[in-house]
Amino acid sequence: MTWLLGDRPRTITTKAGEKRTIVELRDPARLSQSLVIWLDGGADDLPDLRIGTPIAFHVEAVRSGRARGELVATVSREAVVAAFARAREAS
């Protein structure tokens, strides 16, 4: 699938003290729909890309999120890092 980078990946720290990365993508056909990816660890290994950059990768599973039009994807960290690297090379 190929969606657009909706926001820069960010690192949060959970209440349990674990670092997590949040990646938000937008459907290019319907920008109101988003796909959120939660990854273990920080966002340090993801290249800085311009918002709106197309990102293409394989999604293992998708489920409904909390917000309207939001989906939550299951994707390996390696797939996301590789997809960001490819998008950086293409831009």
Side-chain angles (χ1 to χ4, degrees), residues 1-2 12 19-20 25-27 32 35-36 38-39 56 59 61 64 70 73-74 76-77 79 83 87 89:
M1 66 168 270
T2 301
I12 64 162
K19 288 194 176 205
R20 303 284 307 256
L25 304 172
R26 295 284 176 182
D27 182 347
S32 64
L35 179 73
V36 178
W38 290 83
L39 302 170
V59 175
S64 295
E70 180 185 75
T74 301
S76 72
R77 182 173 198 87
E89 290 172 7

Side-chain angles (χ1 to χ4, degrees), residues 4-10 22-26 49 51-52 84:
L4 306 175
L5 185 61
D7 199 358
R8 288 189 166 77
R10 62 189 185 278
I22 303 169
V23 178
E24 182 180 351
L25 304 172
R26 295 284 176 182
L49 299 174
I51 293 173
F84 270 67

